[in-house]
Amino acid sequence: MTFAKLTDLEVLDKMADAARAAILPFFRQAGLTAENKLEAGFDPVTVADRAGELAMRAILADHRPEDGIWGEEFGQTRGQSGRTWVLDPIDGTRGFISGTPTWGVLIALSDDTGPILGAIDQPYIGERFVGSPEVARMTGPMGIQNLTTRSAAPLSQAIVFTTFPEVGTADEGAAFHAVARHAKLTRYGMDCYAYALLASGQVDLVIEAGLNAYDIQGPIAVVQAAGGIVTDWQGSPAHMGGRAIAAANPEIHAEALEILKSY
């Protein structure tokens, strides 16, 4: 089958649309069950997670068969182009099965340096946050808005988000709280939507640990396009997961990082 060549952004939008259509019929439906992927702890997966990833993979098979794929539910598929689409069909499955609209579809297009294009899509409320070197925008119920992170302010005036204590070790949680004690307001359990709020200028910091590459690459692209910065807790690249700090600007990043580095 022959298709007109789409841009990478157009392919990303088609993938996000397909994931929305596959996932939404399951949201807030009675009888939805979740399997646990962990022997110790709770890491749920549902039929909606798998349906969303399969829908996105089908778009890539049609439009980017030369690219690799790294998805949370179906693993890695090698490509020939040197580029990889990194997919998390439902980031925040705990929120999904609880009925909260803070989960999202994460998509990133990456090369060996990290993500070059990414999206955070929240299907239920119809918001899509997209970032690349050429675009930083949110499309939602109020139309299209440009994304810009907050301007510099001291940590004492910051709003900080995290998924602790749900994800991460006790020591990592202690490191987060060492930062949060200095902040004005701390909020918990927002999953990928926290990064979307940071990119749209609503909050100052997101601090997390225990991440996989598919948890963070889409958010990295969006936050960086909006003017923010994302690193690990030592100030190095975070696109392979682990511990991450996303900040609205270099000044507050440096202030928080100084505390995290001691952990």
Side-chain angles (χ1 to χ4, degrees):
M1 187 177 294
T2 302
F3 293 89
K5 184 71 170 180
L6 300 181
T7 67
D8 291 331
L9 182 55
E10 288 171 333
V11 172
L12 180 147
D13 277 327
K14 287 182 70 71
M15 293 167 66
D17 289 343
R20 281 188 181 188
I23 292 168
L24 271 178
F26 297 101
F27 185 51
R28 295 184 178 173
Q29 295 303 302
L32 178 68
T33 60
E35 301 171 30
N36 187 9
K37 295 190 284 187
L38 296 180
E39 292 185 7
F42 184 55
D43 185 14
V45 61
T46 71
V47 63
D49 296 78
R50 297 186 179 112
E53 184 167 325
L54 288 174
M56 291 189 284
R57 285 175 175 265
I59 298 297
L60 291 173
D62 286 340
H63 295 282
R64 291 295 188 272
E66 71 280 7
D67 292 344
I69 305 173
W70 185 357
E72 178 176 10
E73 306 307 334
F74 296 100
Q76 293 181 265
T77 302
R78 296 182 66 85
Q80 296 80 45
S81 67
R83 310 188 323 163
T84 301
W85 293 86
V86 184
L87 314 176
D88 189 347
I90 301 179
D91 180 83
T93 304
R94 294 175 182 84
F96 185 88
I97 65 176
S98 303
T100 62
T102 54
W103 54 277
V105 179
L106 301 183
I107 304 170
L109 175 60
S110 298
D111 59 19
D112 57 3
T113 67
I116 54 180
L117 169 67
I120 303 168
D121 189 73
Q122 211 308 305
Y124 187 71
I125 57 179
E127 291 182 340
R128 183 169 301 166
F129 303 80
V130 175
S132 77
E134 291 77 37
V135 63
R137 71 166 183 249
M138 187 274 282
T139 305
M142 302 298 289
I144 299 174
Q145 301 176 23
N146 292 328
L147 296 175
T148 305
T149 56
R150 281 187 168 188
S151 57
L155 182 57
S156 62
Q157 296 301 308
I159 301 175
V160 184
F161 276 47
T162 190
T163 52
F164 288 118
E166 195 170 71
V167 178
T169 67
D171 287 344
E172 288 166 338
F176 165 75
H177 287 294
V179 176
R181 279 195 296 270
H182 297 279
K184 179 174 69 175
L185 176 64
T186 303
R187 304 293 292 166
Y188 296 91
M190 296 294 287
D191 297 301
C192 63
Y193 200 66
Y195 296 98
L197 292 173
L198 191 147
S200 58
Q202 302 300 306
V203 305
D204 301 277
L205 291 167
V206 181
I207 301 173
E208 296 193 287
L211 300 177
N212 293 290
Y214 43 74
D215 297 316
I216 192 64
Q217 292 205 13
I220 286 174
V222 174
V223 169
Q224 291 184 162
I229 180 171
V230 185
T231 70
D232 69 10
W233 290 8
Q234 300 301 313
S236 299
H239 61 275
M240 294 307 293
R243 300 170 170 179
I245 173 173
N249 50 74
E251 291 84 358
I252 201 163
H253 176 265
E255 190 174 355
L257 194 65
E258 189 63 29
I259 299 171
L260 292 175
K261 279 182 177 180
S262 63
Y263 290 83

